[in-house]
Amino acid sequence: MSASPLLRLSQLTKSFGGVMAVNQVSFDVDHGTIVGLIGPNGAGKTTVFNLITGNYRPDSGEILFDGRNIVNMRTNRIVTLGIARTFQTIRLFQNMSALENVLAGCHCRMRSGAIGAMLRLPWQKREERQALEIAVGELEFVGLRSQLDQAARNLSYGNQRLLEIARALATKPRFLILDEPAGGMNDYETQVLVDLINQIRERGITVLLIEHDMNLVMKICEKLVVLEYGVMIAQGAPMEIQKDQRVIDAYLGAPDDDEDEDF
Amino acid sequence: MKPATIINVLVVATLLVAPYWLNAYWVDVLNSIGIYAVLALSLNVILGYAGLFHMGHAAFFAVGTYTTAILNTQFGIPVLWLMPLSGLTAGFFALLVARPIIHLRGDYLLIVTIGIVEIVRIALVNNVFGITGGSNGIFGINRPELFGYVIRTPHEFYYLIFGFAAITVLLFLRLENSRFGRALNYIREDDVAAEGSGIDAAHYKLVAFVLGAFWAGMAGTIFAAKMTIVSPQSFTFWESVVMFTIVILGGSGNIRGVLLGAFLIVGLPEVFREFAGARMLVFGAAMILMMIFRPKGILPAQPRTYNLDFLAGPRGGGK
Ligand SMILES: Nc1ncnc2c1ncn2[C@@H]1O[C@H](COP(=O)(O)OP(=O)(O)OP(=O)(O)O)[C@@H](O)[C@H]1O
Ligand SMILES: [Mg+2]
């Protein structure tokens, strides 16, 4: 691990009315690791993600990405810096094709604008081709190349989750955050997802994920961060977390608690 | 040849020779259709591609028209030279008024943009800066001159207007099939997801407004030249409604649909002139039925196709 982490949250706080959704949360994500963010429903996990991606502004605290404070930056700027995400409730462009969904991710690495498009200059055409190549490549990576013509809404739930990952990867991120990527997937699809996340790490992309599937989390994360009522109650290696009495009481307690997921 | 290509060729050929068989009155109707078609195509960038409920397009049209009228009558600048300048003025005006309202959604944006048309119209009636001629408007705009040839008759205007419309169609087709066109569609579909994918939604919405206004402003130049007299009556809220209806009814986001919409909305009432009183009733009923049975317009937007033949690998073709 290099000395400074890729992402550092310090004393991050966000409240909605009276609810302290995230309360003084601090943790690091090191380069090249897969970190899991876990906790019961309503613990504030998704809120942490929305703070990182600039969808919400924190009340206080700092978010350092590669040493740079990204608080108050706009979401699209943060994406351009190299943070990509997926959503807990799938947010694809439902009426557009799988290919075009992934092309959305390519957008921030392209430059041609309205005038370039109307004049159709050679470099603009070249850029368009490169984008198509990248998009098809990412679809291939997640195993959806054969469905690139399909409208997103016609894909199965599991494939929609994969498509969101492909779109996120097309932004060329250094850091990928996945909000319940296995939500709604069957066992087979989850296994494919585990392999995929490992491959993403092999591409040099650091991963932070929220997941209720403890099996998956224990298998792929080298570090876990546990939230309860907006407060971080533990962090560490999965084996330690499994034995942590507070975590067992708060979350792991009843083995195999299936929850429903909603934004 | 594909059926679509055959239809394209037939339509273009018909449009090229149509004035030959038509008298000045009907050519003038076609000229109106042509101007509305350009206006609706420019509105389509905002309303169709980006999904922004903008019902104030007549305001941008007015700014362009008056820019041409004022500069031509005051300084004698040739009308067609004023086309880019009128576009820029309208675009700049759009930048000013759209910036503070760009974050509004759906019906809220609709109401505010309606307000903009009224403000512009009232400003023109009240002779702002003493240069708009009040409710009488401005007289004596010069005829346009192209390569030393003065354009006067409806038949001559026809080729100017439809030439401009053709260029508009070609450029907007390219726009639609580009990074820019896609970005507007992503924003229309889900602007949170678009921003989460790295697209600056606010910026693109603003550019859509400016570009749409720029084109409406250029259409204003041709309108001013065709009328030689401009007055505030030409830029009422009703004009905005007509443009809006052309886009929604024809097929929001689809260039063919918008063109067809212009022919139907502007052309049909002329064809059924004999039925005078009843025609608006029939027209209204037809629109209601349309919205029930084809809510996405007569010709809904089609998914883009991509040629992926240049890619190596197991599956080359896009379609
Ligand atoms: N936009 C919002 N407005 C008001 N309250 C919110 C908002 N977003 C989240 N909350 C509240 O903040 C708390 C944390 O919600 P969050 O979605 O972050 O939980 P979570 O850990 O992701 O839960 P889950 O596992 O169910 O997805 C909840 O009490 C929730 O109701
Ligand atoms: Mg959540």
Side-chain angles (χ1 to χ4, degrees):
Chain A
M1 298 302 116
S2 64
S4 77
L6 181 60
L7 183 83
R8 165 164 286 171
L9 306 186
S10 48
Q11 307 292 312
L12 204 59
T13 300
K14 175 75 185 175
S15 61
F16 296 105
V19 183
M20 287 298 257
V22 175
N23 195 354
Q24 303 277 325
V25 168
S26 309
F27 65 88
D28 289 353
V29 178
D30 284 320
H31 287 271
T33 57
I34 300 179
V35 175
L37 184 59
I38 60 172
N41 287 118
K45 306 180 295 294
T46 299
T47 306
V48 168
F49 274 21
N50 282 328
L51 290 168
I52 296 172
T53 55
N55 290 82
Y56 297 157
R57 297 254 147 93
D59 301 336
S60 62
E62 259 189 352
I63 306 170
L64 297 180
F65 179 64
D66 221 4
R68 180 171 184 178
N69 194 351
I70 58 169
V71 168
N72 290 332
M73 258 188 208
R74 308 236 314 272
T75 301
N76 61 287
R77 271 287 289 144
I78 292 172
V79 176
T80 311
L81 283 180
I83 301 182
R85 76 171 298 178
T86 66
F87 294 89
Q88 181 173 350
T89 44
I90 293 170
R91 290 194 91 133
L92 288 167
F93 308 110
Q94 292 290 349
N95 297 312
M96 299 173 84
S97 69
L99 180 64
E100 289 199 309
N101 270 275
V102 184
L103 280 172
C106 298
H107 180 96
C108 67
R109 304 293 171 214
M110 301 167 74
R111 16 199 67 245
S112 65
I115 294 168
M118 290 201 256
L119 300 180
R120 202 163 273 183
L121 303 167
W123 67 266
Q124 189 261 348
K125 282 198 271 188
R126 209 175 319 127
E127 183 186 66
E128 189 75 11
R129 279 182 162 218
Q130 281 163 358
L132 284 171
E133 212 169 319
I134 291 169
V136 173
E138 295 301 352
L139 282 167
E140 176 120 57
F141 181 72
V142 302
L144 291 178
R145 182 171 178 167
S146 60
Q147 313 202 37
L148 54 78
D149 282 339
Q150 295 288 320
R153 62 167 187 278
N154 294 335
L155 299 181
S156 72
Y157 202 73
N159 283 347
Q160 292 195 15
R161 290 226 177 265
L162 295 178
L163 183 56
E164 267 208 337
I165 294 177
R167 180 178 69 187
L169 288 171
T171 66
K172 300 213 168 124
R174 283 183 292 158
F175 184 46
L176 179 64
I177 61 186
L178 306 172
D179 199 340
E180 301 195 17
M185 284 189 173
N186 62 32
D187 287 349
Y188 172 74
E189 288 171 326
T190 305
Q191 188 47 50
V192 172
L193 178 73
V194 167
D195 294 342
L196 190 71
I197 294 174
N198 278 319
Q199 280 172 27
I200 290 171
R201 191 230 316 250
E202 278 159 29
R203 283 169 58 170
I205 299 168
T206 306
V207 178
L208 173 64
L209 58 88
I210 295 174
E211 193 43 74
H212 285 297
D213 182 337
M214 287 324 288
N215 230 332
L216 180 150
V217 168
M218 293 295 165
K219 227 185 310 190
I220 58 176
C221 297
E222 42 244 277
K223 171 179 170 178
L224 294 181
V225 175
V226 191
L227 292 186
E228 187 197 14
Y229 296 120
V231 179
M232 191 180 75
I233 56 170
Q235 64 169 320
M239 298 306 276
E240 300 162 27
I241 295 294
Q242 247 175 335
K243 286 187 240 130
D244 187 305
Q245 196 52 47
R246 278 187 76 184
V247 179
I248 293 170
D249 294 343
Y251 183 50
L252 300 178
D256 259 321
D257 48 347
D258 281 342
E259 35 266 85
D260 53 328
E261 53 256 343
D262 253 300
F263 204 151
Chain B
M1 269 201 290
K2 282 186 293 185
T5 321
I6 296 171
I7 293 175
N8 286 349
V9 170
L10 284 179
V11 168
V12 170
T14 311
L15 285 174
L16 274 175
V17 299
Y20 240 60
W21 320 104
L22 297 172
N23 62 24
Y25 175 79
W26 283 107
V27 171
D28 210 48
V29 170
L30 283 178
N31 287 346
S32 285
I33 293 174
I35 289 178
Y36 273 107
V38 173
L39 287 170
L41 285 172
S42 68
L43 174 62
N44 185 43
V45 174
I46 306 167
L47 172 63
Y49 299 153
L52 297 165
F53 278 14
H54 163 48
M55 219 191 241
H57 215 49
F60 304 148
F61 181 43
V63 171
T65 308
Y66 269 82
T67 304
T68 297
I70 293 165
L71 294 180
N72 176 259
T73 53
Q74 298 288 318
F75 305 104
I77 305 173
V79 166
L80 288 184
W81 291 15
L82 288 168
M83 216 161 157
L85 194 63
S86 300
L88 284 176
T89 317
F92 183 68
F93 177 71
L95 189 67
L96 290 184
V97 298
R99 173 152 252 152
I101 59 170
I102 209 77
H103 60 279
L104 295 177
R105 286 164 181 282
D107 34 5
Y108 293 99
L109 185 66
L110 197 80
I111 289 163
V112 174
T113 51
I114 290 170
I116 291 170
V117 195
E118 277 307 283
I119 290 169
V120 167
R121 193 183 61 82
I122 291 164
L124 294 175
V125 170
N126 287 313
N127 199 6
V128 270
F129 315 124
I131 53 175
T132 69
S135 51
N136 294 327
I138 297 174
F139 307 84
I141 299 156
N142 288 140
R143 294 301 192 179
E145 209 181 301
L146 204 60
F147 310 118
Y149 188 88
V150 181
I151 297 166
R152 275 176 228 281
T153 65
H155 281 77
E156 289 161 351
F157 266 103
Y158 177 86
Y159 290 101
L160 177 69
I161 290 169
F162 277 81
F164 181 52
I167 293 171
T168 305
V169 168
L170 289 179
L171 292 181
F172 282 15
L173 267 176
R174 289 175 164 196
L175 196 69
E176 188 178 311
N177 291 297
S178 73
R179 170 177 183 256
F180 181 82
R182 282 194 303 266
L184 298 186
N185 288 168
Y186 298 137
I187 291 164
R188 179 189 65 201
E189 292 279 309
D190 182 343
D191 56 355
V192 172
E195 283 183 352
S197 310
I199 294 162
D200 188 344
H203 170 78
Y204 275 92
K205 287 180 185 176
L206 205 56
V207 176
F209 260 101
V210 170
L211 185 72
F214 179 82
W215 233 269
M218 291 202 295
T221 297
I222 292 185
F223 181 71
K226 174 175 169 285
M227 305 305 288
T228 69
I229 301 171
V230 300
S231 71
Q233 287 98 286
S234 302
F235 309 101
T236 56
F237 165 59
W238 178 247
E239 293 304 309
S240 286
V241 174
V242 171
M243 296 177 213
F244 194 91
T245 315
I246 290 173
V247 174
I248 298 287
L249 187 106
S252 191
N254 183 357
I255 289 179
R256 285 167 198 276
V258 171
L259 294 176
L260 181 65
F263 273 88
L264 294 181
I265 302 272
V266 184
L268 279 191
E270 292 295 332
V271 175
F272 294 113
R273 221 165 230 297
E274 294 96 284
F275 303 101
R279 82 193 155 127
M280 286 320 266
L281 189 74
V282 174
F283 197 61
M287 283 220 319
I288 292 171
L289 289 177
M290 272 285 316
M291 286 294 104
I292 294 171
F293 294 107
R294 286 197 83 115
K296 288 185 172 169
I298 302 172
L299 297 175
Q302 296 300 307
R304 293 182 189 78
T305 53
Y306 292 89
N307 183 356
L308 298 175
D309 292 339
F310 68 95
L311 290 175
R315 202 175 155 288
K319 286 253 166 201

